[in-house]
Amino acid sequence: MLNRSQSPSLKATAEIILQEPVETKLRNGSSLYIINAGTQDVSKVELIFKAGSAFHRHPVIATLT
């Protein structure tokens, strides 16, 4: 059984392969996109950018606007 009290180890990956979704039109005209990839381990992807008022040349401008 998994020990849910401990976070899993982090793993860096060099390549991410995403499957193309299959588009299905619903009766109301909305599009539904489905990716049937079978069973997979759960993954979380985070993109972190150095942005925001802390990295702005004039940080007070962001606060004033």
CSV table of all heavy atoms in Angstrom, one decimal:
chain,number,residue,atom,x,y,z
A,1,MET,N,0.8,-1.2,0.0
A,1,MET,CA,0.0,0.0,0.0
A,1,MET,C,0.9,1.2,0.0
A,1,MET,O,1.9,1.3,0.6
A,1,MET,CB,-0.9,0.0,1.2
A,1,MET,CG,-1.8,1.2,1.3
A,1,MET,SD,-3.0,1.0,2.7
A,1,MET,CE,-4.5,1.1,1.8
A,2,LEU,N,0.5,2.3,-0.7
A,2,LEU,CA,1.2,3.5,-0.8
A,2,LEU,C,1.2,4.2,0.5
A,2,LEU,O,0.2,4.3,1.2
A,2,LEU,CB,0.6,4.4,-1.8
A,2,LEU,CG,0.8,4.0,-3.3
A,2,LEU,CD1,0.1,4.9,-4.2
A,2,LEU,CD2,2.3,3.9,-3.7
A,3,ASN,N,2.3,4.9,0.9
A,3,ASN,CA,2.4,5.7,2.1
A,3,ASN,C,2.0,7.1,1.7
A,3,ASN,O,2.9,7.8,1.2
A,3,ASN,CB,3.8,5.6,2.7
A,3,ASN,CG,3.9,6.4,4.0
A,3,ASN,OD1,2.9,7.1,4.4
A,3,ASN,ND2,5.0,6.3,4.7
A,4,ARG,N,0.8,7.5,1.9
A,4,ARG,CA,0.3,8.8,1.5
A,4,ARG,C,0.8,10.0,2.3
A,4,ARG,O,0.6,11.1,2.0
A,4,ARG,CB,-1.2,8.9,1.4
A,4,ARG,CG,-1.8,7.8,0.5
A,4,ARG,CD,-2.0,8.3,-0.8
A,4,ARG,NE,-2.7,7.3,-1.7
A,4,ARG,CZ,-2.5,7.3,-2.9
A,4,ARG,NH1,-1.8,8.1,-3.6
A,4,ARG,NH2,-3.2,6.3,-3.6
A,5,SER,N,1.5,9.7,3.4
A,5,SER,CA,2.0,10.7,4.3
A,5,SER,C,3.4,11.3,3.8
A,5,SER,O,3.8,12.3,4.2
A,5,SER,CB,2.2,10.2,5.7
A,5,SER,OG,3.2,9.2,5.8
A,6,GLN,N,4.0,10.6,2.8
A,6,GLN,CA,5.2,11.1,2.2
A,6,GLN,C,5.0,11.4,0.7
A,6,GLN,O,4.4,10.6,0.0
A,6,GLN,CB,6.3,10.0,2.3
A,6,GLN,CG,6.7,9.7,3.8
A,6,GLN,CD,7.7,8.6,3.9
A,6,GLN,OE1,8.1,8.0,2.9
A,6,GLN,NE2,8.3,8.4,5.0
A,7,SER,N,5.6,12.5,0.3
A,7,SER,CA,5.5,12.9,-1.1
A,7,SER,C,6.4,12.0,-1.9
A,7,SER,O,7.4,11.5,-1.5
A,7,SER,CB,6.0,14.3,-1.3
A,7,SER,OG,5.2,15.2,-0.6
A,8,PRO,N,5.9,11.7,-3.2
A,8,PRO,CA,6.8,10.9,-4.1
A,8,PRO,C,8.0,11.6,-4.5
A,8,PRO,O,8.0,12.9,-4.4
A,8,PRO,CB,5.9,10.6,-5.3
A,8,PRO,CG,4.8,11.6,-5.2
A,8,PRO,CD,4.7,12.0,-3.8
A,9,SER,N,9.0,10.9,-4.9
A,9,SER,CA,10.3,11.6,-5.3
A,9,SER,C,10.0,12.3,-6.6
A,9,SER,O,9.2,11.9,-7.4
A,9,SER,CB,11.4,10.6,-5.4
A,9,SER,OG,11.0,9.6,-6.4
A,10,LEU,N,10.8,13.4,-6.8
A,10,LEU,CA,10.6,14.2,-8.0
A,10,LEU,C,11.5,13.6,-9.1
A,10,LEU,O,12.6,13.1,-8.8
A,10,LEU,CB,11.1,15.7,-7.8
A,10,LEU,CG,10.2,16.4,-6.8
A,10,LEU,CD1,10.8,17.8,-6.6
A,10,LEU,CD2,8.8,16.5,-7.3
A,11,LYS,N,11.0,13.6,-10.3
A,11,LYS,CA,11.8,13.1,-11.4
A,11,LYS,C,11.8,14.1,-12.6
A,11,LYS,O,10.7,14.6,-13.0
A,11,LYS,CB,11.2,11.8,-12.0
A,11,LYS,CG,11.2,10.7,-10.9
A,11,LYS,CD,10.6,9.4,-11.5
A,11,LYS,CE,10.5,8.4,-10.5
A,11,LYS,NZ,9.8,7.2,-10.9
A,12,ALA,N,12.9,14.5,-13.1
A,12,ALA,CA,13.0,15.4,-14.2
A,12,ALA,C,12.9,14.6,-15.5
A,12,ALA,O,13.3,13.4,-15.5
A,12,ALA,CB,14.3,16.1,-14.2
A,13,THR,N,12.2,15.1,-16.5
A,13,THR,CA,12.1,14.4,-17.7
A,13,THR,C,12.6,15.3,-18.9
A,13,THR,O,12.4,16.6,-18.8
A,13,THR,CB,10.6,14.0,-18.0
A,13,THR,OG1,10.5,13.3,-19.2
A,13,THR,CG2,9.7,15.2,-18.0
A,14,ALA,N,13.2,14.7,-19.9
A,14,ALA,CA,13.7,15.5,-21.0
A,14,ALA,C,12.6,15.6,-22.1
A,14,ALA,O,12.7,16.5,-22.9
A,14,ALA,CB,14.9,14.9,-21.5
A,15,GLU,N,11.7,14.7,-22.1
A,15,GLU,CA,10.8,14.6,-23.2
A,15,GLU,C,9.4,14.3,-22.7
A,15,GLU,O,9.2,13.4,-21.9
A,15,GLU,CB,11.2,13.6,-24.2
A,15,GLU,CG,10.3,13.5,-25.4
A,15,GLU,CD,10.7,12.4,-26.4
A,15,GLU,OE1,11.7,11.7,-26.1
A,15,GLU,OE2,10.1,12.2,-27.4
A,16,ILE,N,8.4,15.1,-23.2
A,16,ILE,CA,7.0,14.8,-22.8
A,16,ILE,C,6.3,14.5,-24.1
A,16,ILE,O,6.3,15.3,-25.0
A,16,ILE,CB,6.4,16.0,-22.1
A,16,ILE,CG1,7.1,16.3,-20.8
A,16,ILE,CG2,4.9,15.8,-21.8
A,16,ILE,CD1,6.6,17.6,-20.1
A,17,ILE,N,5.6,13.4,-24.1
A,17,ILE,CA,4.9,13.0,-25.3
A,17,ILE,C,3.4,13.0,-25.0
A,17,ILE,O,2.9,12.3,-24.1
A,17,ILE,CB,5.2,11.5,-25.8
A,17,ILE,CG1,6.7,11.5,-26.1
A,17,ILE,CG2,4.4,11.1,-26.9
A,17,ILE,CD1,7.3,10.1,-26.3
A,18,LEU,N,2.7,13.9,-25.6
A,18,LEU,CA,1.2,14.1,-25.4
A,18,LEU,C,0.5,13.5,-26.6
A,18,LEU,O,0.8,13.7,-27.7
A,18,LEU,CB,0.9,15.5,-25.2
A,18,LEU,CG,1.5,16.3,-24.1
A,18,LEU,CD1,1.2,17.7,-24.1
A,18,LEU,CD2,1.1,15.6,-22.7
A,19,GLN,N,-0.6,12.7,-26.3
A,19,GLN,CA,-1.4,12.2,-27.4
A,19,GLN,C,-2.3,13.2,-27.9
A,19,GLN,O,-2.7,14.1,-27.2
A,19,GLN,CB,-2.2,11.0,-26.8
A,19,GLN,CG,-1.3,9.8,-26.5
A,19,GLN,CD,-2.2,8.6,-26.1
A,19,GLN,OE1,-3.4,8.7,-25.8
A,19,GLN,NE2,-1.6,7.5,-26.0
A,20,GLU,N,-2.7,13.1,-29.1
A,20,GLU,CA,-3.7,14.0,-29.7
A,20,GLU,C,-5.0,13.7,-29.2
A,20,GLU,O,-5.4,12.5,-29.2
A,20,GLU,CB,-3.6,13.9,-31.3
A,20,GLU,CG,-2.4,14.5,-31.9
A,20,GLU,CD,-2.4,16.0,-31.8
A,20,GLU,OE1,-3.4,16.7,-31.9
A,20,GLU,OE2,-1.2,16.6,-31.5
A,21,PRO,N,-5.8,14.7,-28.8
A,21,PRO,CA,-7.2,14.4,-28.4
A,21,PRO,C,-8.1,14.1,-29.5
A,21,PRO,O,-7.9,14.6,-30.7
A,21,PRO,CB,-7.6,15.7,-27.6
A,21,PRO,CG,-6.8,16.7,-28.2
A,21,PRO,CD,-5.5,16.1,-28.6
A,22,VAL,N,-9.2,13.3,-29.3
A,22,VAL,CA,-10.2,13.1,-30.3
A,22,VAL,C,-11.3,14.0,-30.0
A,22,VAL,O,-11.8,14.1,-28.9
A,22,VAL,CB,-10.7,11.6,-30.2
A,22,VAL,CG1,-11.8,11.4,-31.2
A,22,VAL,CG2,-9.5,10.7,-30.5
A,23,GLU,N,-11.7,14.8,-31.0
A,23,GLU,CA,-12.8,15.8,-30.9
A,23,GLU,C,-14.1,15.2,-31.2
A,23,GLU,O,-14.3,14.5,-32.2
A,23,GLU,CB,-12.6,17.0,-31.8
A,23,GLU,CG,-13.7,18.0,-31.6
A,23,GLU,CD,-13.5,19.2,-32.5
A,23,GLU,OE1,-12.6,19.2,-33.4
A,23,GLU,OE2,-14.3,20.2,-32.4
A,24,THR,N,-15.1,15.3,-30.3
A,24,THR,CA,-16.5,14.9,-30.5
A,24,THR,C,-17.4,16.1,-30.4
A,24,THR,O,-17.2,16.9,-29.4
A,24,THR,CB,-16.8,13.8,-29.5
A,24,THR,OG1,-15.9,12.7,-29.6
A,24,THR,CG2,-18.2,13.2,-29.7
A,25,LYS,N,-18.3,16.2,-31.3
A,25,LYS,CA,-19.3,17.3,-31.2
A,25,LYS,C,-20.5,16.8,-30.4
A,25,LYS,O,-21.1,15.7,-30.7
A,25,LYS,CB,-19.8,17.8,-32.6
A,25,LYS,CG,-18.7,18.5,-33.3
A,25,LYS,CD,-18.6,19.9,-32.8
A,25,LYS,CE,-17.6,20.7,-33.6
A,25,LYS,NZ,-17.4,22.1,-33.2
A,26,LEU,N,-20.9,17.5,-29.4
A,26,LEU,CA,-22.1,17.2,-28.6
A,26,LEU,C,-23.4,17.7,-29.3
A,26,LEU,O,-23.3,18.6,-30.2
A,26,LEU,CB,-22.0,17.8,-27.2
A,26,LEU,CG,-20.8,17.3,-26.4
A,26,LEU,CD1,-20.7,18.0,-25.1
A,26,LEU,CD2,-20.8,15.8,-26.2
A,27,ARG,N,-24.5,17.3,-28.9
A,27,ARG,CA,-25.8,17.7,-29.6
A,27,ARG,C,-26.0,19.2,-29.4
A,27,ARG,O,-26.7,19.8,-30.3
A,27,ARG,CB,-27.0,17.0,-29.0
A,27,ARG,CG,-27.0,15.5,-29.4
A,27,ARG,CD,-28.2,14.8,-28.9
A,27,ARG,NE,-28.1,14.7,-27.4
A,27,ARG,CZ,-28.9,14.0,-26.6
A,27,ARG,NH1,-29.8,13.3,-27.2
A,27,ARG,NH2,-28.7,14.0,-25.3
A,28,ASN,N,-25.5,19.8,-28.4
A,28,ASN,CA,-25.7,21.3,-28.2
A,28,ASN,C,-24.7,22.1,-29.0
A,28,ASN,O,-24.6,23.3,-28.9
A,28,ASN,CB,-25.7,21.6,-26.7
A,28,ASN,CG,-24.3,21.4,-26.1
A,28,ASN,OD1,-23.4,21.0,-26.7
A,28,ASN,ND2,-24.3,21.6,-24.8
A,29,GLY,N,-23.8,21.4,-29.8
A,29,GLY,CA,-22.8,22.1,-30.6
A,29,GLY,C,-21.4,22.3,-29.9
A,29,GLY,O,-20.5,22.7,-30.5
A,30,SER,N,-21.4,22.0,-28.6
A,30,SER,CA,-20.1,22.1,-27.9
A,30,SER,C,-19.1,21.0,-28.3
A,30,SER,O,-19.5,19.9,-28.7
A,30,SER,CB,-20.3,22.0,-26.4
A,30,SER,OG,-21.1,23.1,-25.9
A,31,SER,N,-17.8,21.3,-28.2
A,31,SER,CA,-16.8,20.3,-28.6
A,31,SER,C,-16.4,19.6,-27.3
A,31,SER,O,-16.2,20.3,-26.2
A,31,SER,CB,-15.6,21.0,-29.2
A,31,SER,OG,-16.0,21.6,-30.4
A,32,LEU,N,-16.2,18.3,-27.4
A,32,LEU,CA,-15.7,17.5,-26.3
A,32,LEU,C,-14.4,16.9,-26.8
A,32,LEU,O,-14.4,16.2,-27.8
A,32,LEU,CB,-16.7,16.5,-25.8
A,32,LEU,CG,-16.2,15.5,-24.8
A,32,LEU,CD1,-16.0,16.2,-23.5
A,32,LEU,CD2,-17.2,14.4,-24.6
A,33,TYR,N,-13.3,17.1,-26.0
A,33,TYR,CA,-12.0,16.5,-26.4
A,33,TYR,C,-11.7,15.4,-25.5
A,33,TYR,O,-11.7,15.6,-24.2
A,33,TYR,CB,-10.9,17.6,-26.4
A,33,TYR,CG,-11.1,18.7,-27.4
A,33,TYR,CD1,-11.8,19.8,-27.1
A,33,TYR,CD2,-10.7,18.5,-28.7
A,33,TYR,CE1,-12.1,20.8,-28.1
A,33,TYR,CE2,-10.9,19.5,-29.7
A,33,TYR,CZ,-11.6,20.6,-29.3
A,33,TYR,OH,-11.8,21.6,-30.3
A,34,ILE,N,-11.3,14.2,-26.0
A,34,ILE,CA,-11.1,13.0,-25.2
A,34,ILE,C,-9.7,12.5,-25.5
A,34,ILE,O,-9.3,12.4,-26.7
A,34,ILE,CB,-12.1,11.9,-25.5
A,34,ILE,CG1,-13.5,12.5,-25.1
A,34,ILE,CG2,-11.8,10.7,-24.7
A,34,ILE,CD1,-14.6,11.5,-25.5
A,35,ILE,N,-8.9,12.2,-24.5
A,35,ILE,CA,-7.6,11.5,-24.6
A,35,ILE,C,-7.8,10.2,-23.9
A,35,ILE,O,-7.9,10.2,-22.6
A,35,ILE,CB,-6.5,12.3,-24.0
A,35,ILE,CG1,-6.3,13.6,-24.8
A,35,ILE,CG2,-5.2,11.5,-24.1
A,35,ILE,CD1,-5.3,14.5,-24.2
A,36,ASN,N,-7.8,9.1,-24.6
A,36,ASN,CA,-7.9,7.8,-24.0
A,36,ASN,C,-6.5,7.2,-24.0
A,36,ASN,O,-6.0,6.6,-25.0
A,36,ASN,CB,-8.8,6.9,-24.7
A,36,ASN,CG,-9.0,5.5,-24.0
A,36,ASN,OD1,-8.4,5.3,-23.0
A,36,ASN,ND2,-9.9,4.7,-24.6
A,37,ALA,N,-5.8,7.3,-22.9
A,37,ALA,CA,-4.4,6.9,-22.8
A,37,ALA,C,-4.3,5.6,-21.9
A,37,ALA,O,-3.2,5.3,-21.5
A,37,ALA,CB,-3.5,8.0,-22.3
A,38,GLY,N,-5.4,5.0,-21.6
A,38,GLY,CA,-5.3,3.8,-20.7
A,38,GLY,C,-5.0,4.3,-19.3
A,38,GLY,O,-5.3,5.4,-18.9
A,39,THR,N,-4.4,3.4,-18.5
A,39,THR,CA,-4.0,3.7,-17.2
A,39,THR,C,-2.6,4.2,-17.1
A,39,THR,O,-1.7,3.7,-17.7
A,39,THR,CB,-4.1,2.5,-16.2
A,39,THR,OG1,-3.3,1.4,-16.7
A,39,THR,CG2,-5.6,2.0,-16.2
A,40,GLN,N,-2.4,5.3,-16.4
A,40,GLN,CA,-1.1,6.0,-16.3
A,40,GLN,C,-0.8,6.3,-14.9
A,40,GLN,O,-1.8,6.5,-14.1
A,40,GLN,CB,-1.1,7.3,-17.1
A,40,GLN,CG,-1.5,7.1,-18.6
A,40,GLN,CD,-0.4,6.5,-19.4
A,40,GLN,OE1,0.8,6.8,-19.2
A,40,GLN,NE2,-0.7,5.7,-20.4
A,41,ASP,N,0.4,6.5,-14.5
A,41,ASP,CA,0.8,7.0,-13.2
A,41,ASP,C,0.4,8.5,-13.3
A,41,ASP,O,0.4,9.1,-14.3
A,41,ASP,CB,2.3,7.0,-13.0
A,41,ASP,CG,2.7,5.5,-12.7
A,41,ASP,OD1,1.9,4.7,-12.3
A,41,ASP,OD2,3.9,5.2,-12.9
A,42,VAL,N,0.0,9.0,-12.1
A,42,VAL,CA,-0.4,10.4,-12.1
A,42,VAL,C,0.9,11.3,-12.1
A,42,VAL,O,1.9,11.0,-11.5
A,42,VAL,CB,-1.2,10.7,-10.7
A,42,VAL,CG1,-1.5,12.2,-10.6
A,42,VAL,CG2,-2.4,9.9,-10.7
A,43,SER,N,0.8,12.4,-12.9
A,43,SER,CA,1.9,13.3,-13.1
A,43,SER,C,1.4,14.7,-12.8
A,43,SER,O,0.3,15.0,-13.1
A,43,SER,CB,2.5,13.2,-14.5
A,43,SER,OG,3.1,11.9,-14.7
A,44,LYS,N,2.3,15.5,-12.4
A,44,LYS,CA,2.0,16.9,-12.2
A,44,LYS,C,3.0,17.7,-12.8
A,44,LYS,O,4.2,17.5,-12.6
A,44,LYS,CB,1.9,17.3,-10.7
A,44,LYS,CG,1.6,18.7,-10.4
A,44,LYS,CD,1.6,19.0,-8.9
A,44,LYS,CE,1.3,20.5,-8.6
A,44,LYS,NZ,1.3,20.7,-7.2
A,45,VAL,N,2.6,18.7,-13.7
A,45,VAL,CA,3.6,19.5,-14.4
A,45,VAL,C,3.4,21.0,-13.9
A,45,VAL,O,2.3,21.5,-13.9
A,45,VAL,CB,3.4,19.4,-15.9
A,45,VAL,CG1,4.3,20.4,-16.6
A,45,VAL,CG2,3.5,18.0,-16.4
A,46,GLU,N,4.5,21.6,-13.5
A,46,GLU,CA,4.5,23.0,-13.0
A,46,GLU,C,5.5,23.7,-13.9
A,46,GLU,O,6.6,23.3,-14.1
A,46,GLU,CB,4.9,23.1,-11.6
A,46,GLU,CG,3.9,22.5,-10.6
A,46,GLU,CD,4.3,22.8,-9.1
A,46,GLU,OE1,5.1,23.7,-8.9
A,46,GLU,OE2,3.8,22.1,-8.3
A,47,LEU,N,5.0,24.9,-14.4
A,47,LEU,CA,5.9,25.8,-15.1
A,47,LEU,C,6.1,27.0,-14.2
A,47,LEU,O,5.1,27.7,-13.8
A,47,LEU,CB,5.2,26.2,-16.5
A,47,LEU,CG,4.9,25.0,-17.4
A,47,LEU,CD1,4.2,25.6,-18.6
A,47,LEU,CD2,6.2,24.3,-17.8
A,48,ILE,N,7.3,27.3,-13.9
A,48,ILE,CA,7.6,28.4,-13.0
A,48,ILE,C,8.4,29.5,-13.8
A,48,ILE,O,9.4,29.2,-14.4
A,48,ILE,CB,8.4,27.9,-11.8
A,48,ILE,CG1,7.6,26.9,-11.1
A,48,ILE,CG2,8.8,29.1,-10.9
A,48,ILE,CD1,8.4,26.2,-10.0
A,49,PHE,N,7.8,30.7,-13.8
A,49,PHE,CA,8.4,31.8,-14.5
A,49,PHE,C,8.8,32.9,-13.5
A,49,PHE,O,8.1,33.2,-12.5
A,49,PHE,CB,7.5,32.4,-15.5
A,49,PHE,CG,7.0,31.5,-16.6
A,49,PHE,CD1,5.9,30.8,-16.4
A,49,PHE,CD2,7.8,31.3,-17.7
A,49,PHE,CE1,5.5,29.9,-17.4
A,49,PHE,CE2,7.4,30.5,-18.7
A,49,PHE,CZ,6.3,29.7,-18.6
A,50,LYS,N,9.9,33.5,-13.7
A,50,LYS,CA,10.3,34.7,-12.9
A,50,LYS,C,9.5,35.9,-13.4
A,50,LYS,O,9.9,36.5,-14.4
A,50,LYS,CB,11.8,34.9,-12.9
A,50,LYS,CG,12.6,33.8,-12.2
A,50,LYS,CD,14.1,34.2,-12.3
A,50,LYS,CE,14.9,33.1,-11.5
A,50,LYS,NZ,16.3,33.4,-11.5
A,51,ALA,N,8.4,36.1,-12.8
A,51,ALA,CA,7.5,37.2,-13.2
A,51,ALA,C,6.8,37.9,-12.0
A,51,ALA,O,6.9,37.4,-10.9
A,51,ALA,CB,6.5,36.6,-14.2
A,52,GLY,N,6.1,38.9,-12.3
A,52,GLY,CA,5.4,39.6,-11.3
A,52,GLY,C,6.1,40.9,-10.9
A,52,GLY,O,7.2,41.2,-11.4
A,53,SER,N,5.5,41.5,-9.9
A,53,SER,CA,6.0,42.9,-9.5
A,53,SER,C,7.4,42.8,-8.9
A,53,SER,O,8.2,43.7,-8.9
A,53,SER,CB,5.0,43.5,-8.6
A,53,SER,OG,4.8,42.7,-7.4
A,54,ALA,N,7.8,41.6,-8.3
A,54,ALA,CA,9.1,41.5,-7.7
A,54,ALA,C,10.2,41.5,-8.8
A,54,ALA,O,11.3,41.9,-8.5
A,54,ALA,CB,9.2,40.2,-6.9
A,55,PHE,N,9.9,41.2,-10.0
A,55,PHE,CA,10.9,41.2,-11.1
A,55,PHE,C,10.8,42.3,-12.0
A,55,PHE,O,11.5,42.4,-13.0
A,55,PHE,CB,10.8,39.8,-11.8
A,55,PHE,CG,11.1,38.7,-10.9
A,55,PHE,CD1,10.1,37.9,-10.3
A,55,PHE,CD2,12.5,38.3,-10.7
A,55,PHE,CE1,10.4,36.8,-9.5
A,55,PHE,CE2,12.8,37.2,-9.9
A,55,PHE,CZ,11.8,36.5,-9.3
A,56,HIS,N,9.8,43.2,-11.8
A,56,HIS,CA,9.6,44.3,-12.7
A,56,HIS,C,10.6,45.4,-12.5
A,56,HIS,O,11.1,45.6,-11.4
A,56,HIS,CB,8.2,44.9,-12.4
A,56,HIS,CG,7.6,45.7,-13.5
A,56,HIS,ND1,7.9,47.0,-13.6
A,56,HIS,CD2,6.9,45.4,-14.6
A,56,HIS,CE1,7.3,47.5,-14.7
A,56,HIS,NE2,6.7,46.5,-15.3
A,57,ARG,N,11.0,46.1,-13.5
A,57,ARG,CA,12.0,47.2,-13.4
A,57,ARG,C,11.5,48.3,-12.5
A,57,ARG,O,12.2,49.0,-11.8
A,57,ARG,CB,12.3,47.8,-14.7
A,57,ARG,CG,13.3,47.0,-15.5
A,57,ARG,CD,13.9,47.7,-16.6
A,57,ARG,NE,13.3,47.1,-17.8
A,57,ARG,CZ,13.2,47.6,-19.0
A,57,ARG,NH1,13.6,48.9,-19.2
A,57,ARG,NH2,12.7,47.0,-20.0
A,58,HIS,N,10.2,48.6,-12.5
A,58,HIS,CA,9.5,49.6,-11.7
A,58,HIS,C,8.4,49.0,-10.9
A,58,HIS,O,7.2,49.1,-11.3
A,58,HIS,CB,9.0,50.8,-12.6
A,58,HIS,CG,10.0,51.3,-13.5
A,58,HIS,ND1,11.1,52.1,-13.1
A,58,HIS,CD2,10.2,51.2,-14.8
A,58,HIS,CE1,11.8,52.5,-14.1
A,58,HIS,NE2,11.3,51.9,-15.2
A,59,PRO,N,8.7,48.3,-9.8
A,59,PRO,CA,7.7,47.5,-9.1
A,59,PRO,C,6.5,48.3,-8.6
A,59,PRO,O,5.4,47.8,-8.4
A,59,PRO,CB,8.5,46.9,-7.9
A,59,PRO,CG,9.7,47.7,-7.8
A,59,PRO,CD,10.0,48.3,-9.2
A,60,VAL,N,6.7,49.6,-8.3
A,60,VAL,CA,5.6,50.4,-7.8
A,60,VAL,C,4.5,50.6,-8.8
A,60,VAL,O,3.3,50.7,-8.5
A,60,VAL,CB,6.2,51.8,-7.3
A,60,VAL,CG1,5.0,52.6,-6.7
A,60,VAL,CG2,7.2,51.5,-6.2
A,61,ILE,N,4.8,50.6,-10.1
A,61,ILE,CA,3.9,50.8,-11.2
A,61,ILE,C,2.8,49.7,-11.1
A,61,ILE,O,1.6,50.0,-11.2
A,61,ILE,CB,4.5,50.9,-12.5
A,61,ILE,CG1,5.4,52.2,-12.6
A,61,ILE,CG2,3.5,50.9,-13.7
A,61,ILE,CD1,6.2,52.3,-13.9
A,62,ALA,N,3.2,48.5,-10.9
A,62,ALA,CA,2.2,47.4,-10.9
A,62,ALA,C,1.3,47.5,-9.7
A,62,ALA,O,0.1,47.3,-9.8
A,62,ALA,CB,3.0,46.0,-10.8
A,63,THR,N,1.8,48.0,-8.6
A,63,THR,CA,1.0,48.2,-7.4
A,63,THR,C,0.0,49.4,-7.6
A,63,THR,O,-1.2,49.3,-7.2
A,63,THR,CB,1.9,48.5,-6.2
A,63,THR,OG1,2.8,47.5,-6.0
A,63,THR,CG2,1.0,48.7,-4.9
A,64,LEU,N,0.4,50.4,-8.2
A,64,LEU,CA,-0.4,51.6,-8.5
A,64,LEU,C,-1.5,51.3,-9.5
A,64,LEU,O,-2.6,51.9,-9.4
A,64,LEU,CB,0.4,52.8,-8.9
A,64,LEU,CG,1.4,53.4,-7.9
A,64,LEU,CD1,2.3,54.5,-8.5
A,64,LEU,CD2,0.6,53.9,-6.7
A,65,THR,N,-1.3,50.5,-10.4
A,65,THR,CA,-2.3,50.2,-11.4
A,65,THR,C,-3.3,49.2,-11.0
A,65,THR,O,-4.4,49.1,-11.3
A,65,THR,CB,-1.7,49.8,-12.8
A,65,THR,OG1,-0.9,48.6,-12.5
A,65,THR,CG2,-0.9,50.9,-13.4
